[in-house]
Amino acid sequence: MAAVDVIKSCIDSIRQISKHIQDATVYLDAGSTESFQFLGAYPVLLELGARAICSLENMCALDVVVDWNSNSDPARKLVVITSSLLSDAHRYILRCLSTHQVVRHCIIFTSISETAHSAFPDSPLGPDAYPEYESLLVQDYEELVKKSRTKPGQGKLNIEDGGRSEFPSIGEDVLNLETSPSGRDFYENNNSLDYVEESVMKLVVSVYHFPMILCPISPRVFVLPSEGLVAEARLSTGHEDSISPGLPPFSTGILSDADDVPPGATLTAHFLYHLAAKMDLKMEIFSLGDISKTVGKVLTDMSSLYDVGRRKRSAGLLLIDRTLDLLTPCCHGDSLVDRIFSSLPRRNRTISGKGSGSQLKLGSLYLQRAPLDVQIPLARILNEEDSKIDSFRLLESVEAFMSGWNSGNSDSQLAGLINLGQKIHDKPSHTDAEILTGSFVSSENFLGMPLLEAILDRRTKDGALLVKKWLQETLRRENVAVNVKSRPGVATKPEIQAMIKALSRNQSSLLRNKGIIQLAAATLFALEESNYTLWDAFSSGEKILSVSSGETSQSLAIQIGDLINKSALLGSHVNKGKREISKGLLSLQDALLLMIIGYIFAGENFPTSGADGPFSWQEERLLKDAVVDALFENPSVANLKFLDGLREELETNVDSKLKSQGTAEESSELDIDDDQWGKWGDEDGDDDNKNEQVYGDVQLKLELRDRVDNLFKFLHKLSNLKRKNIPLRDGSLTMESNFDEDRKGLLYKILTRVLGKYDVPGLEYHSSTVGRLFKSGFGRFGLGQAKPSLADQNVILVFIIGGINGLEVREAHEALAESGRPDIELLVGGTTLLTSNDMLDLLLGNSSYF
């Protein structure tokens, strides 16, 4: 039987819609773009006959003339692939249709099923969502056409508010169809303007379900697109057991009513059901945590309705709430993948938010997650002379394109391009290499071995050595020599950089080996001194806190206080009228993340030290004073939600104090031989100003202390993870109290117990309808059905609701290897790929309930 492969299943799903892709202009929304980027699906779309692949949100009038598969006629078919609600994508789809006026058929693929549309609170569509939307889109488009001017050359409609208001159709960015040869042919062959009206009025809209929009990191590891609806929908409501809309609430054993189920839970259930169906898997569902149980229940009900009599490969699905283990994604473990995704810059979000209308709604059902698409800075690694692009050849290519688009006007436009090129040459500091960046594609491989999958299973040092080995073997295959000293067993920056440059010297080699070059460049960036040192500083701080948690609460409180004091500003001063900030390796924001980790450790080891929290009143008072002083001295270093509304006042106060100090220093250096008799009596005014300043400082500090008090109440909630989460109460699944060099996370412990067929506290099996019938009915006659074991399955899919990180993936594979079960195929998935920065944003940033 074929191995389970998420990447292959996604590509096969795309090929199954090939008849729709052929001769169509394809528009991808932000979530689909991120998914197809990881899949490496763009060549597949072009292979299937797509004319152009464009961004839905960033639609441009020039999209009409972009055509990778040349054809004399304008595109009559438009394909939109979206990971959002149809109502959220509606304004963008209308904008595309208004630009491509000759389109006869609009085909929309959405990853959100009809049932999920009707169940989502923000969706206006009902159970028959797809037919409803087809008729609504045609109706809205016809209204736009009737209101617009349809003379040739004035055919573009602009819509910004759902397509219901008309903007002027003339502007610099408006594409005139007559300027295109294909557009001229279209109008020449159809002289009647009525034919244009008839063609746009006879628009046919078809909506289909396309569930396989996900981001595979490897053939067996995947997460959801950061700007897709499933990842952005909230996983909890704002009640006392919730900590963030992006994380499940505490597992108290009290399940939500059907009306109170978070939309993210429902959407996750629908996604997993259709994923299993596409991969021909029949799931035996197990869950750990309240939201996981809710998702399991929805999945079971769906399976009971649709899977009767269908023969599929049996598989086990293990659902786990992220909130059962917040420590692992907060910490900085030994994982090269985690280092890479934490160090590299990310692509900017395409859109600001979802919801009805153009702005994110208040009391939103959504949250904004960081994009998964990292930007690999190849230009920083390649020297300028190695990566120069022949500007004249670039201009020649642009001239050919412009001549084909508008032969009558190409000379003037080319002259403008040449002038622009001359300006670029006048500024040699700005080169094309500066904007040269790369991205990960999970299908890239080295001799059949997927690159990202190989480094997922390795620690930092082993992963870097593997990348070095791949580079050396690639150089041998390319017959390229590199003059650099190589140390066995060590991957150094100079040798990796030299090998990357050698492989990038010509375009053909760069294209052939782009996968390994980009991975090596990402590894090099993650191992730069600044990034490497910062990660190790975090890791050292976490080790200190772990060791201290095995001693006394006082020892742990002292260590947390020291981290806050050392990471706070060493000093703020004014230099030449400008405010300068000097700081240590760890910022105050970093220290607050370490304080969260310390409080979770304290909650596991000292649950009864204080009345409300794990520390005594005196210990916590010292911590509060340290945080207040640090924030008061420089509030700008921490982008924290609990400072909203107060940050500007704090920054203004700091700036005024620094300026007054600078003025005082300057005046003290002046000659004081002037007549000072007239200055007598001014002391009273100075005293009043000082008293006013002191009074303002006291008031501001009191308000800041109130905010910090609320922060510590939130930390008390986090320290109660073990007590609040029922599956953790017996202590068998919690982390070791004393520091262990090879400390394991919750997922490793669960899989070790499951594969060893030991009981897991709180693990629930979700019986199918037939199973419940055997249990309740035929069980009376001795015909009961035995409860299946997850270890009996040959395929196991672990999905962590709330997100995963690279360390957990490696530990999951270690647990499988140690079980002695090579016959089991393990898939690991999660809502998103979490870094420590993501966790800080979920707990204390804009994505927090605090």
Side-chain angles (χ1 to χ4, degrees), residues 38-227:
F38 272 86
L39 280 171
Y42 299 129
V44 177
L45 292 174
L46 295 176
E47 176 192 331
L48 296 178
R51 288 188 167 209
I53 305 168
C54 310
S55 168
L56 181 63
E57 294 88 355
N58 298 320
M59 190 278 305
C60 171
L62 291 175
D63 294 347
V64 176
V65 294
V66 176
D67 192 349
W68 289 94
N69 293 294
S70 299
N71 200 311
S72 59
D73 296 327
R76 305 292 182 89
K77 187 165 57 173
L78 200 69
V79 171
V80 176
I81 304 178
T82 177
S83 57
S84 305
L85 293 172
L86 291 170
S87 55
D88 287 338
H90 180 64
R91 56 196 171 119
Y92 302 114
I93 297 173
L94 268 177
R95 184 182 296 167
C96 290
L97 289 173
S98 67
T99 303
H100 298 264
Q101 292 186 11
V102 296
V103 165
R104 299 282 193 86
H105 193 184
C106 178
I107 305 160
I108 303 169
F109 292 95
T110 174
S111 63
I112 312 300
S113 66
E114 281 190 294
T115 310
H117 264 91
S118 62
F120 195 80
D122 204 32
S123 174
L125 302 173
D128 297 324
Y130 293 174
E132 281 183 45
Y133 184 72
E134 290 171 1
S135 60
L136 287 172
L137 180 59
V138 171
Q139 180 181 347
D140 281 0
Y141 183 59
E142 288 178 352
E143 289 179 4
L144 275 175
V145 171
K146 290 176 183 178
K147 294 178 181 179
S148 67
R149 290 168 291 182
T150 56
K151 294 181 181 180
Q154 295 181 352
K156 181 175 182 289
L157 302 176
N158 261 323
I159 46 101
E160 290 295 338
D161 56 347
R164 298 183 182 275
S165 65
E166 180 187 345
F167 279 65
S169 58
I170 300 176
E172 292 182 359
D173 64 333
V174 176
L175 175 68
N176 187 338
L177 274 175
E178 283 194 310
T179 62
S180 166
S182 57
R184 286 198 302 271
D185 294 340
F186 176 74
Y187 284 111
E188 288 168 2
N189 296 334
N190 305 282
N191 293 324
S192 173
L193 185 59
D194 295 335
Y195 186 86
V196 179
E197 292 187 7
E198 182 184 354
S199 68
V200 294
M201 295 296 282
K202 287 185 177 180
L203 176 69
V204 176
V205 177
S206 304
V207 181
Y208 301 100
H209 187 211
F210 187 80
M212 298 299 285
I213 298 181
L214 50 87
C215 296
I217 302 172
S218 79
R220 298 186 185 182
V221 179
F222 68 91
V223 293
L224 304 177
S226 62
E227 293 188 62

Side-chain angles (χ1 to χ4, degrees), residues 286 754-757 788-794 796 821 823-824:
F286 299 80
V754 164
L755 297 175
K757 295 190 175 182
S789 170
L790 195 58
D792 295 334
Q793 306 294 329
N794 290 327
I796 297 177
R821 294 287 306 276
D823 57 310
I824 293 180

Side-chain angles (χ1 to χ4, degrees), residues 468 484-487 490-497 499 524:
K468 173 184 171 180
V484 63
K485 292 182 179 180
S486 179
R487 295 169 54 191
V490 179
T492 63
K493 179 180 177 180
E495 59 181 330
I496 292 180
Q497 187 167 359
M499 289 188 281
L524 194 62

Side-chain angles (χ1 to χ4, degrees), residues 6 47 206 260 382 396 419 506 576 721 725 818:
V6 177
E47 176 192 331
S206 304
D260 295 332
L382 303 175
E396 279 187 330
N419 291 335
N506 62 75
K576 296 181 181 180
L721 283 173
N725 288 306
E818 292 169 5

Side-chain angles (χ1 to χ4, degrees), residues 357-525:
S358 60
Q359 294 184 348
L360 194 64
K361 297 175 68 176
L362 296 176
S364 176
L365 301 171
Y366 312 91
L367 71 150
Q368 294 189 359
R369 295 191 184 272
L372 299 171
D373 188 14
V374 297
Q375 303 293 289
I376 303 171
L378 295 173
R380 289 183 53 182
I381 298 168
L382 303 175
N383 285 334
E384 186 175 332
E385 60 271 13
D386 295 329
S387 56
K388 276 186 177 178
I389 299 174
D390 192 336
S391 299
F392 182 72
R393 291 178 58 191
L394 176 62
L395 291 176
E396 279 187 330
S397 303
V398 175
E399 180 190 9
F401 170 73
M402 297 296 294
S403 298
W405 176 28
N406 185 359
S407 57
N409 199 29
S410 62
D411 292 338
S412 61
Q413 299 200 27
L414 178 62
L417 287 171
I418 293 175
N419 291 335
L420 177 62
Q422 191 63 42
K423 291 178 181 178
I424 292 174
H425 284 300
D426 293 339
K427 296 180 180 180
S429 60
H430 295 86
T431 66
D432 297 279
E434 291 182 356
I435 58 171
L436 181 62
T437 58
S439 299
F440 285 131
V441 178
S442 58
S443 56
E444 294 282 2
N445 64 84
F446 181 81
L447 301 178
M449 168 62 72
L451 298 176
L452 288 177
E453 181 181 36
I455 65 169
L456 268 172
D457 292 339
R458 285 170 170 78
R459 299 173 184 269
T460 303
K461 181 180 178 181
D462 295 338
L465 285 173
L466 182 62
V467 171
K468 173 184 171 180
K469 177 184 174 184
W470 284 337
L471 286 171
Q472 291 172 335
E473 293 183 10
T474 304
L475 288 168
R476 280 195 289 269
R477 285 194 296 122
E478 294 286 340
N479 196 23
V480 176
V482 179
N483 185 18
V484 63
K485 292 182 179 180
S486 179
R487 295 169 54 191
V490 179
T492 63
K493 179 180 177 180
E495 59 181 330
I496 292 180
Q497 187 167 359
M499 289 188 281
I500 292 174
K501 289 181 181 179
L503 286 175
S504 306
R505 278 177 183 159
N506 62 75
Q507 292 185 9
S508 59
S509 174
L510 178 62
L511 291 177
R512 276 196 306 272
N513 305 295
K514 62 183 183 300
I516 181 60
I517 289 173
Q518 291 189 131
L519 178 60
T523 302
L524 194 62
F525 187 81

Side-chain angles (χ1 to χ4, degrees), residues 186 241 257 271 334 461 536 689 795 797:
F186 176 74
D241 292 325
D257 297 333
F271 164 76
D334 193 2
K461 181 180 178 181
D536 286 352
N689 290 334
V795 178
L797 168 58

